[in-house]
Amino acid sequence: MKSSNIPAPAVRRLSLYLRQLEALWLADQRTVSSRQLGETLKLTDTQIRKDLAYFGQFGQPGIGYDVGELTTKIRRILGTDRTWNVLLVGAGNLGLALSAYRGFAKKGFKLVAVFDSDPQKVGKRVSSNGDLSIQSISEITKTVKEKDIRLAINAVPAEAAQEVADILVTAGIRGLFNFAPVNLDVDPMVAVSAVDLAVQLEQLSFQVGMSQSIEETEATRRAANAG
Amino acid sequence: MKSSNIPAPAVRRLSLYLRQLEALWLADQRTVSSRQLGETLKLTDTQIRKDLAYFGQFGQPGIGYDVGELTTKIRRILGTDRTWNVLLVGAGNLGLALSAYRGFAKKGFKLVAVFDSDPQKVGKRVSSNGDLSIQSISEITKTVKEKDIRLAINAVPAEAAQEVADILVTAGIRGLFNFAPVNLDVDPMVAVSAVDLAVQLEQLSFQVGMSQSIEETEATRRAANAG
DNA sequence: TAGTGTGAATGGATTCACAGCC
DNA sequence: GGCTGTGAATCCATTCACACTA
C-alpha cells in the first residue's frame, strides 16, 4: 500500500493547514501561497508543498492554492468530508466539558452517545445536549452497532481506562481518543490518539527550565565579554 | 548551549517513562530494565537507553534502572521536582473541567488563579477549588507577579485566544498551554504547547479511513489469490 | 547471564535547488 | 516575477552492533 509511506508528521500538519484555510476562507481570502501559509504556521514553504504533494497536485504555479478547493481536498484526505458518529465514555468533569465542546460538531464529529459506570448518572440527560442521556457501560456494544459508531473518546479515570478500552475495541470501535494518563494496550488495527494533560505541562516545564538556563548562560557570556 | 541538541521526541518520551515509572513504583516494583519499559510503552529498549543517555548515566549494567532513583532524576530533568504555579484563563466548560482535574496537582502543578472576561463570572468561587475565585482579565499582570506564576493554560474561545496570549506574554508568562484551535503568534522565548481536540479526532479519522482502505486492498488481494 | 551505554550505520523527514508554468 | 512540484542533498532520529559491567 503506497499510502503508508506518507510521513505521520505530514498528516498532522495537514490538519493545521485545514484549520488555517478555514480561517482564510472566513477572512474572504480565496487564494494562498505556500509561503504565506508557512509564515502564519511557522513552517517553510517547501515543507507545505512537499506535504501536499504526497496527496496530489493542488496548486497553480504562479498563483498558489485555491483556498476553497484545497479545503475540500484536505477534508477528503482526512476523511472529514462526511460526518463521523462519536461516543464518549466517562461523564465526569472532563467528559461533560468535552460533550459541550462545539468544535467537534463544526468539524463533522457528532457525539451520539455518552456512557458512564456510575448508576447514579445513568439515565440523566446530558445538559449540553438535550437529545442525549447517559447510558450504562454495558450498552456500549449494542449502541456501537445501532448507531454505526467508529470513534470513541475515553475520558474515564486512569484505573478504568484499559478496561473501557477493551470493551470499546471489542465493540468494534476503530479509533480511540484517550485522555487517561495511561498507555493503553489495544489491537494495533485500532488507531489511538492520546492527550495527557499533565504530560503537556511537563513539557512546558522542561522548555521553560531550559530557556532559563540558556538565558543565564547568555548572561554569563555577556558579562564575561563585558568584563 | 549543549542542551539544544537533545531531540524533542526524546523529551516527550521522558514524560512517558516517568508516568510508567510512577505506575511501577505503585505496583511495588523497584527495578526495571529498558527492555521491560519498552515492552509496555511499545518502544525499543535501545531507544529508551539512548533517550536517557542524553541526560546522564542512570542504569546499572546487568541490573537495569532503580525505579525510585530514575523517577527522581527524570523529575529533575523535566523540572517537576518542584511546584509550579499555574493560572487558567477561560472559565467555560473546558476551563472549569481543567480546574477540577486532579492530575495536575499530582504532578506538582498548582492552579493558583482563574480568569475570565465575563463580568457575570468574575468573583464567583471555583467550585472544585474553594480557595479560588474567578478574577477579571485585567488582573492578570498583577497576579502573575504576586504569585510568581510562570505557566498559563489558555482555555478561551478561538476569537479571544490571541489577545489573551498577548496579555499573558506581556505579563511575563513563560509557558503557554493552548486549547484554542488557532495558531498563536508569540515571542519565541515563550514555550507553547497546544492541544486542538478536533485536530486529534481528524487524525483518527484519517487513520481509520486508511486502515479501512488497506483492509479492502488485502481483501481484494486475497480474493485474487483464491480465484 | 542479563543488562547498560555508545559509536557507527541506517532510515526518514526536511531543506535545497531548480525545472517548469502562469 | 511569482509560484508550484520534485529529485537530490542534507540533516536528524532510530536502530544496530558490540564493548563493557554487575
Side-chain angles (χ1 to χ4, degrees), chain B residues 30-191:
Chain B
R30 294 292 110 108
T31 281
V32 68
S33 68
S34 57
R35 148 104 65 131
Q36 194 198 343
L37 216 40
E39 258 160 35
T40 58
L41 297 175
K42 276 167 234 146
L43 296 169
T44 66
D45 53 341
T46 314
Q47 174 134 76
I48 291 172
R49 293 201 301 277
K50 219 355 146 224
D51 285 348
L52 295 175
Y54 287 115
F55 301 97
Q57 304 191 165
F58 306 119
Q60 251 189 307
I63 308 287
Y65 300 87
D66 182 283
V67 172
E69 193 189 308
L70 187 54
T71 302
T72 305
K73 293 285 175 55
I74 295 182
R75 282 212 188 106
R76 185 163 307 151
I77 294 164
L78 292 175
T80 54
D81 54 342
R82 63 185 193 83
T83 299
W84 291 77
N85 286 342
V86 179
L87 70 77
L88 167 72
V89 192
N93 279 302
L94 182 58
L96 291 177
L98 293 172
S99 75
Y101 183 52
R102 303 293 177 78
F104 292 137
K106 261 185 227 157
K107 293 280 188 165
F109 298 102
K110 191 177 173 202
L111 187 69
V112 296
V114 178
F115 302 88
D116 199 289
S117 63
D118 182 352
Q120 302 269 296
K121 288 180 181 167
V122 172
K124 291 226 167 99
R125 298 253 153 211
V126 177
S127 59
S128 59
N129 187 331
D131 298 345
L132 290 179
S133 56
I134 299 170
Q135 298 174 257
S136 158
I137 299 273
S138 62
E139 296 178 61
I140 287 180
T141 302
K142 190 190 65 179
T143 309
V144 165
K145 259 92 198 175
E146 277 175 12
K147 299 199 169 166
D148 187 31
I149 304 172
R150 295 239 219 330
L151 301 180
I153 301 174
N154 193 351
V156 304
E159 313 80 64
Q162 180 64 55
E163 192 189 345
V164 166
D166 291 341
I167 295 170
L168 291 168
V169 170
T170 306
I173 283 295
R174 307 297 309 273
L176 196 45
F177 189 4
N178 177 41
F179 282 90
V182 292
N183 253 73
L184 296 181
D185 182 23
V186 300
D187 181 322
M189 283 305 295
V190 175

Side-chain angles (χ1 to χ4, degrees), chain A residues 16 30 33 38 44 52 76 110 128 134 151 176 191:
Chain A
L16 302 184
R30 294 291 112 110
S33 69
T44 65
L52 295 175
R76 184 162 308 152
K110 192 177 173 203
S128 59
I134 299 171
L151 301 180
L176 197 44

Side-chain angles (χ1 to χ4, degrees), chain A:
Chain A
M1 61 282 185
K2 79 158 200 273
S3 32
S4 64
N5 47 25
I6 295 169
V11 180
R12 271 198 296 277
R13 286 188 297 265
L14 228 44
S15 280
L16 302 184
Y17 303 158
L18 178 56
R19 207 171 65 179
Q20 190 56 31
L21 288 166
E22 285 163 348
L24 290 173
W25 181 265
L26 290 180
D28 290 321
Q29 192 180 324
R30 294 291 112 110
T31 281
V32 68
S33 69
S34 56
R35 148 102 65 132
Q36 195 199 342
L37 216 41
E39 258 161 35
T40 57
L41 297 176
K42 278 167 234 145
L43 297 168
T44 65
D45 53 340
T46 314
Q47 174 134 77
I48 291 172
R49 293 201 300 279
K50 192 59 113 187
D51 285 349
L52 295 175
Y54 287 116
F55 301 97
Q57 304 192 165
F58 307 119
Q60 252 189 307
I63 309 286
Y65 300 87
D66 181 282
V67 172
E69 193 188 308
L70 187 54
T71 301
T72 305
K73 294 285 175 58
I74 294 182
R75 283 211 187 107
R76 184 162 308 152
I77 293 164
L78 291 175
T80 54
D81 54 342
R82 63 184 193 83
T83 299
W84 291 77
N85 286 341
V86 179
L87 70 79
L88 166 73
V89 192
N93 279 302
L94 182 59
L96 291 178
L98 293 172
S99 74
Y101 183 52
R102 302 295 176 79
F104 291 138
K106 259 185 230 158
K107 293 281 189 164
F109 298 102
K110 192 177 173 203
L111 187 68
V112 296
V114 178
F115 302 89
D116 199 289
S117 63
D118 183 351
Q120 302 268 297
K121 288 179 181 166
V122 172
K124 293 226 166 99
R125 296 253 154 212
V126 176
S127 59
S128 59
N129 186 331
D131 298 345
L132 289 179
S133 56
I134 299 171
Q135 298 175 257
S136 158
I137 300 270
S138 61
E139 295 179 61
I140 287 180
T141 302
K142 190 191 64 182
T143 310
V144 165
K145 259 92 200 176
E146 277 174 13
K147 299 198 170 166
D148 188 30
I149 304 172
R150 296 240 224 318
L151 301 180
I153 301 174
N154 193 350
V156 304
E159 313 79 66
Q162 180 64 54
E163 192 189 348
V164 167
D166 291 342
I167 295 170
L168 292 168
V169 171
T170 306
I173 283 295
R174 306 298 308 272
L176 197 44
F177 189 2
N178 177 41
F179 282 90
V182 292
N183 253 74
L184 297 180
D185 182 24
V186 299
D187 181 321
M189 281 306 295
V190 175
V192 177
S193 130
V195 170
D196 183 329
L197 275 356
V199 162
Q200 303 282 326
L201 278 183
E202 278 175 356
Q203 297 294 307
L204 283 181
S205 155
F206 175 81
Q207 289 178 64
V208 170
M210 197 77 124
S211 69
Q212 258 164 3
S213 51
I214 291 169
E215 266 170 37
E216 282 154 22
T217 313
E218 293 274 306
T220 312
R221 192 182 49 70
R222 275 195 303 272
N225 286 353

